[in-house]
Amino acid sequence: MIAEAGLAALWFAAALAALQLALAAVGVRRSLLSAPLSAGADAKKLPAQRFTGVEDVAVTDQLLSAVRPVAVVQGLLAGLALLLLMVVFVRSDMSVLLVASNSHSDKPLIYKIAGAWGNHEGSMLLWVTILGLAGGAVAVLEHRLQRTTLIATLGAQAMIALGFYAFLLFSSNPFARLNPAPADGNGLNPLLQDPGLAFHPPTLYIGYVGISVAFSFAVGALVTRDVGPAFARAMRPWVLGAWIFLTLGITAGSYWAYYELGWGGWWFWDPVENASLMPWLAATALLHSVTVLATRDGLRAWTVMLAVVAFSMSMIGTFLVRSGILTSVHAFAVDPKRGAFILVLLALYIGGALLLFAARVGTVRQGSTFEPVSREGALVANNLLLSVILGIVLIGTLYPIVAAGMGVQLSVGPPFFDKTAGPIALLLVAIMGAGPLMRWRRDNANAVLGRMTVPVAATGVTLAAFAALGGGMGILPLLGLSLAAGVGAASIAPLWKRDLRRTPLFTWGMVIAHLGIAVSLAGMASDSAFTQQTLVAARIGEPHRVGPFTVTLEHIRPVIGPNWSALEGTLTVRRGEAASFTLRPQSRFFASPPTVTSESAIATKLDGQLYTVLGQEDEQGRWQLRLWWKPFVTLIWLGGALIALGGALSLLGRVRRERRVAAREEEA
């Protein structure tokens, strides 16, 4: 009965989403028609029916008041459905088709729990659950926005949720029964049997859904013609929260793929990787744009447009990963009908939002203006460059798919993205370093150059040093390392001569996030410039060199895990005269489903990582060993963590400031 209870919760949640949408639509319409006429309004163009009577106002108030609790209950029911799905996975209830197809009774508990969303149906249920809970959180926590705009926002959120509920109930039921039930299940894809599965998908989905909330705010503001600083201040925490989780999800996913897939790379421009990067790029642009609107009342229409684009990217990412159009460890669905369903949802949501934007953009008043040499000007340049990179990634991701549809097989890989997006990304980072050193509204170019003296000097000195000592380093890694030094200096420059104890938390957040970009850039450039690789057929007891290390294969032995067996190599590693240490890479075999995986063994040092992978034995009794020495590669993920930390400090600082402002207004 647990599966039936979960399905019932899903149906009730869907019904409440429909009710929430209907209440919001009717209530907002009545509220707009009861608003006082503006001066000069043409009475002939107004609807004949207006709800201005006492009883009309009371009915409208009741409709609007009902939306918040409905949104909360809807979110809780979706959460209950996900919880019950996790229960049937933990109980290894093989009478549920999803469990039988994706789990096994011998699987460790953590993978039974995480396995609930390690498949197509479960991942979509997680998606809609976070969507519902986010809508409930908006209903409970948001009190700054004009009431009608908030209700319109919740209506938009219900509209999005309703489409995904329909997708689950009519196309991808996670609680479908299997009769007769098998004795045991097929097991989970071994590549997904990793603690990363418990962390990576939820963080990414929270990011995606956070963007959907920003999209709903934009739709609500367009419906009620309420695009202004108040709308931006209400939307900013959600954009910031989504951006933090997207950053964490992408960073964690990058490291998970790095150690799990055994190919030594941290980013391969895989379409599924790009599907997570595109929303992050759009959200980064939106985050900066919404800050300009919230604090300086500028970029009104552009901010709304970016909210639509960001949500479009998250929908396109969902379509790519869940439609079956791609072959990937992330792409669970292979049924074209499901892809068509998501494509229809994408067309309805994005097409509808663009039509609404086109219809209402004329009512969005122009915001405050600013000079090109100003912080707003730098943020606009930042937005444009992010948009160009987003366009490149989008084209590079979709072009092979479109070509395949025309019968042409081709691939777009790292050379294309590195050569096209790489130089633009470096220019973006350079402007990012200069932006915080500019004044709002208007600044003097000579004064800006004066403030940039130290960062420019740091860039120049680093460039000269590596050019002299780099020994044939590529131009992009050289520029990357040089800019990382300059941007690192520029990032902490806003703290110069400040009382650090009185510096606002969101300023600390900006500094740390920008510093994280510099740190991550330094790691990427170092990995590209200094990585050394050795591929050998090793005999037992034979030493091999990679970077500053000597690696010796001591022996191979069989080992047994909870649901796998493996051949494990014992490597003795020595660096100069230091004490030796041991690494144990494995070649694992999973019986259910039958799969062989390479489990890398990694030694992390202050100056980088030694990465080892054990391959197959050849006819002469030698074992394939792949060895990499990757100097400072850990800076990539350290930078990602700093970026997310900076975002979290900014979010906390903004929330605290707005609460203090609200408290002062109440006292006044």
Side-chain angles (χ1 to χ4, degrees):
M1 292 298 290
I2 295 176
E4 283 70 26
L7 185 60
L10 205 53
W11 272 106
F12 279 121
L16 288 181
L19 178 62
Q20 180 180 331
L21 175 59
L23 289 172
V26 177
V28 169
R29 181 175 182 277
R30 292 175 64 99
S31 178
L32 293 177
L33 291 177
S34 66
L37 297 179
S38 59
D42 187 352
K44 295 180 180 178
K45 296 182 179 180
L46 296 174
Q49 185 180 14
R50 291 180 52 77
F51 301 96
T52 54
V54 174
E55 292 185 0
D56 289 331
V57 170
V59 170
T60 301
D61 182 67
Q62 290 174 352
L63 288 170
L64 296 177
S65 299
V67 174
R68 283 181 188 254
V70 170
V72 172
V73 177
Q74 184 233 128
L76 293 176
L77 283 172
L80 175 63
L82 178 64
L83 180 64
L84 293 175
L85 183 67
M86 294 164 63
V87 170
V88 295
F89 266 85
V90 170
R91 291 165 58 98
S92 294
D93 184 352
M94 298 304 165
S95 69
V96 177
L97 176 60
L98 194 63
V99 180
S101 303
N102 298 279
S103 190
H104 193 280
S105 57
D106 290 337
K107 205 166 59 172
L109 178 61
I110 182 174
Y111 302 137
K112 288 183 180 177
I113 296 173
W117 55 78
N119 53 77
H120 170 74
E121 291 83 354
S123 66
M124 294 309 299
L125 179 56
L126 175 64
W127 209 105
V128 80
T129 296
I130 297 174
L131 188 70
L133 292 175
V138 171
V140 172
L141 300 176
E142 183 51 57
H143 297 284
R144 297 157 295 181
L145 208 56
Q146 186 188 67
R147 187 188 189 197
T148 310
T149 303
L150 173 62
I151 299 304
T153 299
L154 291 174
Q157 194 74 0
M159 180 184 64
I160 298 170
L162 196 56
F164 282 95
Y165 282 128
F167 178 68
L168 279 170
L169 292 169
F170 299 119
S171 174
S172 302
N173 178 9
F175 298 102
R177 287 287 189 183
L178 183 62
N179 190 16
D184 214 328
N186 295 331
L188 180 66
N189 183 340
L191 292 175
L192 299 178
Q193 295 187 35
D194 185 274
L197 182 62
F199 180 77
H200 172 58
T203 50
L204 269 186
Y205 281 15
I206 292 173
Y208 285 160
V209 173
I211 290 177
S212 82
V213 175
F215 170 80
S216 297
F217 272 112
V219 170
L222 282 173
V223 168
T224 59
R225 297 178 173 86
D226 188 26
V227 178
F231 144 76
R233 283 193 288 272
M235 185 170 75
R236 182 167 53 186
W238 294 95
V239 178
L240 196 47
W243 184 79
I244 292 167
F245 279 99
L246 278 177
T247 304
L248 287 173
I250 292 172
T251 303
S254 168
Y255 193 68
W256 181 13
Y258 170 76
Y259 72 75
E260 179 64 27
L261 297 183
W263 52 275
W266 54 272
W267 192 266
F268 197 66
W269 294 105
D270 175 89
V272 177
E273 291 176 329
N274 295 347
S276 65
L277 179 62
M278 289 187 290
W280 186 87
L281 290 169
T284 305
L286 175 60
L287 179 61
H288 291 86
S289 174
V290 79
T291 297
V292 174
L293 177 53
T295 58
R296 300 292 160 178
D297 194 15
L299 305 179
R300 291 186 174 201
W302 177 244
T303 300
V304 173
M305 188 64 198
L306 275 180
V308 175
V309 170
F311 181 64
S312 304
M313 293 302 106
S314 72
M315 286 293 296
I316 288 174
T318 304
F319 169 70
L320 290 176
V321 177
R322 298 290 172 257
S323 65
I325 201 169
L326 298 175
T327 301
S328 163
V329 66
H330 302 79
F332 306 119
V334 292
D335 182 357
K337 293 180 181 177
R338 295 174 174 179
F341 204 127
I342 296 178
L343 192 60
V344 169
L345 289 181
L346 191 154
L348 287 175
Y349 292 153
I350 306 308
L354 289 175
L355 284 175
L356 179 63
F357 180 80
R360 292 293 173 88
V361 69
T363 66
V364 179
R365 291 188 295 107
Q366 182 184 9
S368 301
T369 58
F370 49 85
E371 296 293 326
V373 182
S374 63
R375 187 175 295 192
E376 292 97 325
L379 288 171
V380 168
N382 158 301
N383 269 224
L384 293 176
L385 291 174
L386 280 167
S387 301
V388 172
I389 296 173
L390 173 59
I392 290 172
V393 178
L394 182 63
I395 291 171
T397 304
L398 296 183
Y399 183 52
I401 299 172
V402 174
M406 299 178 179
V408 179
Q409 296 296 326
L410 55 86
S411 64
V412 177
F416 166 79
F417 292 105
D418 291 345
K419 291 178 180 176
T420 53
I424 299 172
L426 291 178
L427 178 59
L428 170 68
V429 170
I431 294 176
M432 183 202 76
L437 301 180
M438 296 183 181
R439 302 188 191 285
W440 292 105
R441 303 287 190 207
R442 179 186 302 171
D443 207 339
N444 181 281
N446 291 330
V448 174
L449 288 175
R451 293 179 213 123
M452 291 290 293
T453 300
V454 173
V456 170
T459 302
V461 169
T462 308
L463 181 65
F466 279 112
L469 305 173
M473 184 187 302
I475 184 66
L476 284 180
L478 177 62
L479 292 176
L481 285 167
S482 306
L483 272 177
V487 171
S491 299
I492 60 176
L495 298 178
W496 182 247
K497 294 183 179 180
R498 274 179 176 262
D499 181 346
L500 299 183
R501 291 175 300 178
R502 294 180 176 275
T503 299
L505 205 52
F506 52 79
T507 300
W508 278 105
M510 177 193 69
V511 167
I512 292 173
H514 285 188
L515 184 61
I517 294 284
V519 170
S520 195
L521 177 61
M524 296 175 194
S526 296
D527 182 60
S528 178
F530 306 127
T531 290
Q532 298 178 48
Q533 177 182 357
T534 300
L535 175 61
V536 296
R539 298 183 187 280
I540 302 298
E542 193 174 70
H544 295 278
R545 293 280 301 178
V546 60
F549 298 94
T550 301
V551 181
T552 304
L553 177 61
E554 300 293 347
H555 57 78
I556 302 287
R557 67 184 183 107
V559 293
I560 300 295
N563 60 339
W564 49 264
S565 60
L567 291 174
E568 180 179 273
T570 298
L571 305 177
T572 299
V573 184
R574 186 176 295 280
R575 183 177 191 174
E577 299 301 322
S580 63
F581 58 92
T582 301
L583 290 177
R584 303 182 190 280
Q586 295 178 344
S587 178
R588 285 186 184 174
F589 173 70
F590 290 80
S592 182
T595 308
V596 176
T597 65
S598 294
E599 302 295 319
S600 62
I602 301 173
T604 300
K605 305 295 179 184
L606 286 176
D607 57 346
Q609 286 189 327
L610 175 63
Y611 188 110
T612 65
V613 176
L614 177 67
Q616 301 297 313
E617 184 183 20
D618 66 13
E619 296 176 350
Q620 301 175 35
R622 301 176 302 179
W623 292 86
Q624 293 178 356
L625 275 183
R626 283 178 288 168
L627 312 171
W628 285 272
W629 166 236
K630 306 175 82 65
F632 301 107
V633 68
T634 46
L635 293 182
I636 296 172
W637 304 292
L638 173 62
L642 285 174
I643 296 168
L645 173 63
L649 292 177
S650 294
L651 178 60
L652 184 59
R654 294 288 182 193
V655 171
R656 286 173 57 181
R657 165 175 276 199
E658 289 182 11
R659 283 186 177 179
R660 285 199 296 269
V661 170
R664 282 199 294 268
E665 289 176 351
E666 287 182 4
E667 291 175 359

